[in-house]
Amino acid sequence: MVSPESKKWTDRFPELLPVSQGKTVTWLNPHRRNSSELDHLPISRHDMDQAAALWDRFAPYLAKAFPELKNTGGIIESELREIPHMKARLEAYYKSEVSGRLFLKCDHNLPVVGSIKARGGIFEVLHYAEELALQNGLIQEGDNYEIFDDERFKSFFSQYTIGVGSTGNLGLSIGVISAKLGFDVYVYMSSDAKEWKKNLLRQKGAKVLEFEGDFSEAIDNGRRSTNANPKGYFVDDENSKYLFLGYSVAALRLKDQLDAQGIVVDADHPLFVYSPCGVGGSPGGVAYGLREVFGDHVHSFFVEPTHAPAVLIGLITGAMADICVQDIGLDNHTEADGLAVGRPSAFASAINDLTISGEYTIEDDELFRLLFMLHESEGIHVEPSATAGFPGPQNIARTGFVDKLGVHPDNITHIVWSTGGALVPKENMEQYVARGRALVEVDFQ
């Protein structure tokens, strides 16, 4: 039975009808602007460069606080890896060619927290810690930030509380870095969050509060509770400039990696990037950064579950964060816990509307099939949500988008952004692989 609310939206926006029915769709963004028209955004290249400088200032601290970062000098970064065997598997499975080269951006292996959320979550907490330390005379410009690992800093930060609402990976990133610095940290988690993530957070020193509802309920409760504390700081995934900027720095690092592999990005050799999407902050920050670095020669495409396309419906309708998936009759239930979001980020949506090239949706079972194929073809293990970008090259090719660009398909560099997986317990990963294998075997019976 179609609700009056859902019918109201689908009558106004007919392209929402298949979305409201839980069907897979591909949408090209008619609102995307040329780079010359992006100078009025609430963030700038200067902000992004300042964010990169903060990461550099904290590198000595990170190298000291986390042994796994010693060899990188405190830099949190992931490999850019070409995946020819997975490319061949995708071509066989979808029965169409993947023109150009296919790479995996391996944020599932980012050190410390094993997901893309390290880029935004750790950055925002470090930004807040620096702000407090400067305001209270604990540091001055030019200091070596190794001192943030001293007991006097941990004792000072212990009087402050940090809160965050999360379905999983953002909570892990905030919880781990906040506890390490000495903050009293609370993670407000929705029913979609995996049990192993809750347990790991508790082991790292965070306090986990669970809610029966979805992400919106968890974040609303967290926001109210944290902001009621005069010494509380809430990391707001639905409206955070600093999370967004932390993610954007990935674009500067990616350019270095592309340069190192001799990969040119220009009008004749565009870059296509496919990113799993929850509230839109992490893929949006990356997409914004890529536009700053590569201009009009990069095209970012977001991917959301068919039952939780929060960002997609916000962009199609222009309602942004004023619409949720329940408004069009969807239940926001998905195995991709990090993507189980009913309402998009207000801050990120306003920017994403102008920077990204499109979106598509994907069914949960397909995530598990792709997870198994990646395991079998490349020996790489990721969370289900991290596989969402793999159908991207073929999905977008079917729209005629490449033809309209006027570029040769073989000149495109495709990057699937893998978002999480390194911390998944072995038994859980084995279950994911087994489920994917079973689905693939059924397909070929």
Side-chain angles (χ1 to χ4, degrees):
M1 185 72 177
V2 178
S3 71
E5 177 74 5
S6 179
K7 190 173 187 305
K8 179 191 79 173
W9 286 108
T10 55
D11 283 351
R12 286 179 60 194
F13 302 95
E15 60 266 55
L16 270 187
L17 184 58
V19 181
S20 71
Q21 296 169 338
K23 296 180 179 178
T24 56
V25 300
T26 301
W27 174 78
L28 299 179
N29 182 13
H31 314 135
R32 183 183 189 267
R33 295 289 180 265
N34 293 328
S35 294
S36 60
E37 302 173 283
L38 297 178
D39 56 0
H40 64 288
L41 296 179
I43 53 176
S44 66
R45 175 60 185 261
H46 173 73
D47 293 328
M48 191 169 85
D49 290 338
Q50 290 292 102
L54 184 142
W55 276 118
D56 289 342
R57 289 195 296 276
F58 270 100
Y61 162 74
L62 293 169
K64 185 177 181 182
F66 297 98
E68 61 266 46
L69 295 177
K70 184 176 181 180
N71 290 338
T72 67
I75 301 300
I76 299 175
E77 196 44 72
S78 72
E79 177 188 13
L80 178 66
R81 174 173 169 178
E82 191 161 13
I83 45 173
H85 303 298
M86 183 61 173
K87 179 183 175 183
R89 191 67 187 267
L90 291 168
E91 290 175 331
Y93 178 67
Y94 290 117
K95 297 180 173 58
S96 61
E97 185 182 4
V98 177
S99 300
R101 298 172 70 182
L102 181 66
F103 291 81
L104 189 68
K105 186 65 173 113
C106 299
D107 274 12
H108 62 278
N109 253 348
L110 272 179
V112 182
V113 296
S115 84
I116 190 173
K117 299 300 184 179
R119 299 185 185 276
I122 292 178
F123 174 83
E124 179 151 355
V125 174
L126 293 179
H127 181 273
Y128 178 55
E130 181 184 57
E131 190 176 68
L132 286 176
L134 286 168
Q135 290 172 354
N136 290 274
L138 272 70
I139 58 169
Q140 57 187 4
E141 188 174 346
D143 281 351
N144 184 329
Y145 277 21
E146 273 191 11
I147 59 176
F148 275 82
D149 198 46
D150 293 353
E151 283 303 319
R152 65 188 178 95
F153 279 77
K154 295 177 183 178
S155 176
F156 170 76
F157 290 135
S158 69
Q159 64 186 303
Y160 294 89
T161 294
I162 289 180
V164 62
S166 176
T167 57
N169 286 338
L170 180 63
L172 274 173
S173 72
I174 299 295
V176 168
I177 188 63
S178 298
K180 179 68 73 170
L181 283 161
F183 288 104
D184 191 22
V185 56
Y186 292 80
V187 182
Y188 299 80
M189 304 193 84
S190 64
S191 58
D192 309 284
K194 303 299 184 187
E195 198 62 35
W196 69 264
K197 292 183 180 179
K198 299 173 189 175
N199 293 335
L200 182 57
L201 269 167
R202 294 184 180 105
Q203 292 170 19
K204 297 292 185 181
K207 300 176 179 69
V208 177
L209 290 85
E210 302 178 54
F211 295 88
E212 288 302 316
D214 66 7
F215 175 75
S216 293
E217 180 181 339
I219 200 170
D220 286 345
N221 277 277
R223 189 184 292 115
R224 282 196 303 272
S225 298
T226 308
N227 291 340
N229 181 348
K231 290 190 173 182
Y233 180 90
F234 188 67
V235 179
D236 197 335
D237 200 17
E238 291 184 338
N239 200 30
S240 174
K241 170 183 177 179
Y242 296 111
L243 286 176
F244 201 86
L245 284 172
Y247 297 124
S248 75
V249 176
L252 300 171
R253 307 266 183 82
L254 180 63
K255 184 182 187 307
D256 291 341
Q257 291 178 320
L258 291 170
D259 288 346
Q261 297 199 38
I263 297 170
V264 173
V265 178
D266 59 23
D268 296 322
H269 304 83
L271 179 66
F272 284 23
V273 179
Y274 311 91
S275 300
C277 179
V279 300
S282 54
V286 172
Y288 166 76
L290 291 171
R291 289 298 301 275
E292 285 288 355
V293 173
F294 297 110
D296 296 329
H297 310 318
V298 62
H299 297 276
S300 294
F301 300 93
F302 292 177
V303 197
E304 295 184 277
T306 53
H307 285 243
V311 171
L312 178 61
I313 65 173
L315 296 181
I316 287 176
T317 62
M320 307 304 179
D322 292 329
I323 186 173
C324 67
V325 299
Q326 290 86 352
D327 291 338
I328 63 167
L330 295 173
D331 58 18
N332 192 30
H333 292 162
T334 173
E335 290 285 345
D337 60 328
L339 311 184
V341 171
R343 191 181 301 276
S345 161
F347 180 85
S349 291
I351 300 172
N352 296 338
D353 187 45
L354 305 177
T355 56
I356 73 167
S357 294
E359 273 219 37
Y360 63 89
T361 58
I362 190 168
E363 294 179 342
D364 278 8
D365 281 352
E366 196 72 351
L367 298 175
F368 285 94
R369 291 186 185 96
L370 293 162
L371 182 150
F372 169 68
M373 291 181 207
L374 184 64
H375 155 78
E376 190 175 56
S377 64
E378 300 282 353
I380 296 173
H381 299 98
V382 300
E383 288 183 328
S385 58
T387 69
F390 284 113
Q394 288 140 309
N395 277 354
I396 300 306
R398 284 192 292 271
T399 68
F401 181 81
V402 176
D403 295 333
K404 290 177 183 176
L405 278 184
V407 300
H408 196 289
D410 289 343
N411 290 345
I412 300 172
T413 299
H414 300 279
I415 296 178
V416 172
W417 211 287
S418 174
T419 47
L423 298 186
V424 176
K426 182 181 178 182
E427 59 270 24
N428 294 72
M429 187 62 72
E430 289 173 348
Q431 291 170 8
Y432 295 158
V433 171
R435 178 171 170 179
R437 178 185 289 109
L439 288 165
V440 170
E441 288 174 351
V442 167
D443 291 339
F444 286 95
Q445 284 179 357

